[in-house]
Every structure is written in C-alpha cells, then in structure tokens.
Amino acid sequence: MAAVDRSEILAQIKVQAMTVLMFTSNEPQFDLPEPSQMSDLDSFSIVQLVLALEDVYNVSVLEDMSEFSGESFEDLTQFIAERIQEQAVAPKQV
C-alpha cells in the first residue's frame, strides 16, 4: 500500500476550497479572503469541495461526512487520507 501524502492533500483542499469560493461568490470580481478553516465555507461549498476531492482522489467521502467532526482543513486532510487508505486496502464492489 502506498503512503498517502497528507501535505499534498492539504494543498489540494486549499486550492479546491478557493476555487469553490470563487465560483459560488456573489461578487467574484473582488478579492476573496483565502479560506483557512471549514467554518469559512457554507454547507453548499463544503459539499462542492468534497465532491471535487472525491474526483481528484477517486475516493468516496461524501457518504461518510456524517462521521466527520473536525473544524480545520488539517482535520479534513486526515479524514480523507483515512478514506484513501481504507479504499486502497478494500476497494468497494461495484
């Protein structure tokens, strides 16, 4: 099993979060503050972020979000890394 690069996942989360904010902002032409915590995103943006991360990492996360209790992007990084490792060991049957 390959190691999961948590720093790469965290960087991807930050890029995707900023992208989601740009697309969902009422005034994207203005400088948007860079999100640094999960609380910087509304629920719609969090869902969009999770869906983007699922696509990037080819992993199912949204179905497990009820188990997520973190508040930071680092917490989300850990949560996603665990899902990547779990699914690498036991891929879901289609």
Side-chain angles (χ1 to χ4, degrees):
M1 171 174 69
V4 177
D5 185 352
R6 284 173 171 72
S7 62
E8 191 277 328
I9 295 172
L10 179 58
Q12 186 66 237
I13 287 171
K14 289 179 179 182
V15 167
Q16 294 295 337
M18 189 64 196
T19 302
V20 166
L21 279 184
M22 287 187 321
F23 282 108
T24 60
S25 173
N26 292 333
E27 299 173 339
Q29 69 275 18
F30 295 117
D31 287 334
L32 297 171
E34 184 174 336
S36 60
Q37 298 288 320
M38 296 293 288
S39 60
D40 294 335
L41 304 172
D42 61 18
S43 59
F44 177 79
S45 297
I46 290 172
V47 170
Q48 295 305 308
L49 171 61
V50 169
L51 291 174
L53 294 167
E54 284 186 342
D55 189 46
V56 168
Y57 295 107
N58 194 28
V59 65
S60 295
V61 179
L62 189 61
E63 294 83 6
D64 297 333
M65 284 303 289
S66 63
E67 299 171 21
F68 180 71
S69 61
E71 297 179 9
S72 69
F73 289 150
E74 289 79 7
D75 296 335
L76 183 59
T77 297
Q78 179 65 28
F79 188 76
I80 290 174
E82 290 170 1
R83 298 309 171 282
I84 292 170
Q85 290 175 328
E86 287 171 4
Q87 290 182 25
V89 171
K92 291 186 176 181
Q93 301 296 320
V94 179

